[in-house]
Amino acid sequence: MADNRLQRLLGKGFSIAAGIGFVIGLGILRTPGEIATTINEPLPYMALWVVCAAFVLLSLLVVAELMAMTPRTGGIYALVAHAYGPYPGFLIGWSDWVANSASMALKAFVLAEYMALLEPRLAPYVEVVAIIVSTCFAMLQLRGVRLGATIQQFASAGIGLIVIALAAALFYGAFTAGGPANVPDVATPRGNMSWVALGTVVAAVVYTYDGWYAPSYFSGEMRSGPRAVAVGAIQAALIVAVLYILLNLAIVVSVPLGALIGHELALAGAIDAVYGAGAGTIVVVAAIFILLSHQNLQYMAASRVLYSLSTDGLGAQRATSVNDRGTPAVAVLI
């Protein structure tokens, strides 16, 4: 081990990549179908995505000030401990660590299930595949923070291109098929509009934008300091908002929103409706890529939370160990 201090090896590009990679997940592939059960008119549907994007950006502008004043790795833990003290920090820090670790395990399992959809012979080995995939990403982290950061930057760029490509495919389908009115055999049931249902879909959209604080997990490792973290988080949130609004606009001009109801991956349902049954398999491939990216990023984030808790005496002392490649290695293994 080199010492117990993280190294400033990350650039602003990684800050943006972390924000994009943490936000864009399965939510954008699933949430349109959840919304369509309540709102299936194009104008209010699009207004919901735009208003929620504005709400998230306003929230981020407030938190970005705190990010710029907190030159510590640790994400939400570091921010809350700075603002409110050690006890609230302790509660939110351990909650965040457990949530990240559980999310990583769940996503590895879902990833293996999607791989089994493409290759049915993997179905009896879903748990084994999940463990192998997750373990491989842990081993990659031990190779150094630069490797993890490079993987994430390429992965986030790939995720952005996937969203653009899916939107382009839907726009092209709308142009060649003549729009949602010409998609055959699609019924558009009336939405179940109530205050409870509306509140549920608003929460779903806000959650789909969630993760904009991701760059703060690495504030103590940024070469340009915490201000670059805050700026990177804002830039990432703006990019995600544009991508989400573009993709949802492509959906509403290509298929009736009612066609998405009942689909586990609503975007796959939209692709199937435009191009025929089976075309939506490409969305399963996209989901696998996104889930692989999340394995990398959540190992990086969760280990930083445990490292920061431990440096404050709220975790295991051994978890403060940093290897000569800048990785909190024991925290990764835990």
Side-chain angles (χ1 to χ4, degrees):
M1 301 295 176
D3 56 35
N4 289 343
R5 290 176 297 177
L6 295 171
Q7 303 171 32
R8 293 187 178 274
L9 300 174
L10 302 176
K12 184 181 174 183
F14 174 75
S15 180
I16 298 172
I20 294 172
F22 216 78
V23 175
I24 300 180
L26 294 189
I28 189 59
L29 307 182
R30 301 170 61 110
T31 303
E34 297 174 13
I35 299 171
T37 62
T38 300
I39 299 174
N40 49 44
E41 292 296 325
L43 188 58
Y45 176 89
M46 288 305 304
L48 184 64
W49 285 96
V50 173
V51 170
C52 287
F55 170 79
V56 168
L57 287 167
L58 289 172
S59 301
L60 174 54
L61 289 175
V62 175
V63 181
E65 291 193 49
L66 184 57
M67 288 183 186
M69 296 187 292
T70 310
R72 287 197 64 196
T73 286
I76 299 174
Y77 164 69
L79 299 177
V80 171
H82 184 180
Y84 298 109
Y87 181 65
F90 168 81
L91 294 177
I92 198 70
W94 277 105
S95 298
D96 191 38
W97 182 79
V98 170
N100 269 290
S101 300
S103 175
M104 204 161 26
L106 174 63
K107 288 175 182 177
F109 188 82
V110 174
L111 164 64
E113 287 188 322
Y114 284 166
M115 291 173 69
L117 290 177
L118 299 180
E119 178 46 77
R121 286 176 293 183
L122 292 175
Y125 310 106
V126 165
E127 293 89 348
V128 174
V129 171
I131 291 169
I132 290 172
V133 169
S134 192
T135 302
C136 286
F137 275 97
M139 295 303 102
L140 284 172
Q141 290 301 315
L142 297 180
R143 298 291 297 173
V145 65
R146 280 197 177 98
L147 177 60
T150 300
I151 291 172
Q152 194 55 51
Q153 286 178 259
F154 278 106
S156 294
I159 290 171
L161 291 174
I162 286 171
V163 173
I164 292 171
L166 291 172
L170 289 171
F171 278 124
Y172 178 77
F175 176 76
T176 56
N182 292 295
V183 174
D185 302 322
V186 172
T188 306
R190 292 180 61 83
N192 177 28
M193 178 60 74
S194 68
W195 286 111
V196 173
L198 181 60
T200 300
V201 297
V202 169
V205 175
V206 171
Y207 184 74
T208 305
Y209 280 111
D210 189 43
W212 41 264
Y213 47 81
S216 66
Y217 285 104
F218 312 97
S219 293
E221 299 165 82
M222 297 295 295
R223 289 192 297 266
S224 302
R227 186 178 183 279
V229 172
V231 172
I234 294 170
Q235 290 174 327
L238 287 169
I239 291 170
V240 170
V242 170
L243 291 174
Y244 278 9
I245 291 168
L246 175 69
L247 183 57
N248 280 287
L249 181 61
I251 290 172
V252 300
V253 302
S254 60
V255 296
L257 289 172
L260 308 182
I261 298 174
H263 285 277
E264 183 180 351
L265 289 177
L267 196 56
I271 296 289
D272 279 342
V274 173
Y275 290 100
T281 301
I282 191 65
V283 179
V284 177
V285 176
I288 290 172
F289 183 85
I290 290 170
L291 288 167
L292 287 170
S293 167
H294 281 208
Q295 287 293 303
N296 181 69
L297 187 55
Q298 286 197 281
Y299 262 113
M300 296 185 76
S303 61
R304 268 64 182 181
V305 176
L306 182 56
Y307 168 86
S308 294
L309 282 163
S310 300
T311 56
D312 288 345
L314 302 175
Q317 182 59 36
R318 289 181 62 82
T320 63
S321 299
V322 178
N323 67 18
D324 57 2
R325 298 184 179 93
T327 296
V330 175
V332 169
L333 293 173
I334 292 175

